[in-house]
Amino acid sequence: MPRTRHLTMFKTSALVLTITLVVMLRAAPGEARSLETAIVAGGCFWCVEADFDKVDGVVETVSGFTGGHVENPSYKQVTRGGTGHYEAVKITYDADRLSYRRLLDLFFRSIDPTDAGGQFCDRGPSYRTAVFAQTEAQAQTARAAKADAQAALGRKIVTPVLEAGEFYPAEDYHQNYYASQERILTRFGWVTKARAYKGYRKGCGRDARVEALWGDAAPFVH
């Protein structure tokens, strides 16, 4: 067989094999996902990340800031006040496995939605709670979830449903803080961020307050 003909046949076979593999991968079950996002403010964004990373169907959480008027704010700017921003978390989830409504039902029961001045030990505007709706459909769902949560709690819920604006990711230092093994010097000593986070969460009284409010309906109390 002439060398050129042999080479042509080899290239053709390789091309057919490549196309077949691509088709098989695209057809593989479980690969296609319908990804959507939700933006919520629930006090300390470390805690919101830690809670929602446990939820089946959540793909990613990002701590950041939204709701204010300052572009690309720093953590210090936001916590100092005057930016109008909330500490918030953008949650990317697989809508085929987790609905927006279910996500919000979990959210309302993971916070103190009766507190307009902050959350737990964290006080001030940046620690207020809110749902930031990105579409009118999300806004309608959020208002329904809020009404149902208020009926279940039997107390007025002050968490607003707001129109989403620009979301600014926080510094890398804050991302996945609750799980980081990086060591830092804190009031708990020279410890990992993960350990410092646990001490902070317990000391701030988050779980105790949520459990007192929601009882067995609180999804993340541990």
Side-chain angles (χ1 to χ4, degrees):
M1 179 183 295
R3 185 170 181 271
T4 55
R5 185 181 176 188
H6 179 79
L7 182 59
T8 300
M9 291 179 64
F10 175 80
K11 288 182 177 180
T12 301
S13 298
L15 179 60
V16 171
L17 178 60
T18 300
I19 293 173
T20 301
L21 287 172
V22 169
V23 171
M24 289 175 64
L25 287 172
R26 286 182 176 177
E31 289 298 315
R33 293 189 293 184
S34 178
L35 299 184
E36 296 185 13
T37 59
I39 302 174
V40 296
C44 170
F45 47 28
W46 300 342
C47 298
V48 179
E49 264 201 301
D51 287 344
F52 280 89
D53 276 346
K54 300 183 182 78
V55 177
D56 184 38
V58 168
V59 176
E60 181 186 40
T61 57
V62 178
S63 287
F65 314 107
T66 196
H69 57 270
V70 176
E71 294 184 2
N72 297 309
S74 68
Y75 176 75
K76 287 185 178 180
Q77 283 178 296
V78 173
T79 55
R80 187 166 56 237
T83 66
H85 284 296
Y86 295 67
E87 283 197 15
V89 174
K90 178 178 281 189
I91 303 168
T92 301
Y93 62 98
D94 183 350
D96 292 330
R97 297 168 58 196
L98 177 66
S99 70
Y100 184 65
R101 173 56 190 268
R102 174 59 179 160
L103 189 152
L104 292 185
D105 287 341
L106 294 172
F107 169 68
F108 277 111
R109 290 158 180 78
S110 68
I111 61 173
D112 179 354
T114 69
D115 187 349
Q119 286 291 281
F120 318 107
C121 68
D122 294 317
R123 314 311 301 166
S126 65
Y127 294 108
R128 292 169 296 167
T129 62
V131 176
F132 293 92
Q134 300 167 84
T135 65
E136 180 54 31
Q138 281 196 347
Q140 291 178 7
T141 300
R143 287 191 287 266
K146 176 179 176 178
D148 284 355
Q150 182 166 286
L153 188 59
R155 297 177 61 179
K156 181 177 175 58
I157 285 181
V158 298
T159 302
V161 177
L162 304 174
E163 182 179 353
E166 189 72 26
F167 177 89
Y168 300 99
E171 297 89 337
D172 289 345
Y173 177 88
H174 295 287
Q175 307 302 331
N176 298 307
Y177 190 99
Y178 75 94
S180 176
Q181 295 304 300
E182 178 185 352
R183 287 187 174 271
I184 55 173
L185 183 60
T186 72
R187 61 191 176 94
F188 304 107
W190 185 253
V191 297
T192 64
K193 288 182 180 177
R195 184 173 175 183
Y197 163 77
K198 288 181 179 179
Y200 153 76
R201 181 162 181 151
K202 182 176 181 180
C204 199
R206 187 181 188 102
D207 293 328
R209 176 59 178 161
V210 170
E211 186 174 24
L213 274 174
W214 293 103
D216 293 339
F220 305 119
V221 170
H222 46 76

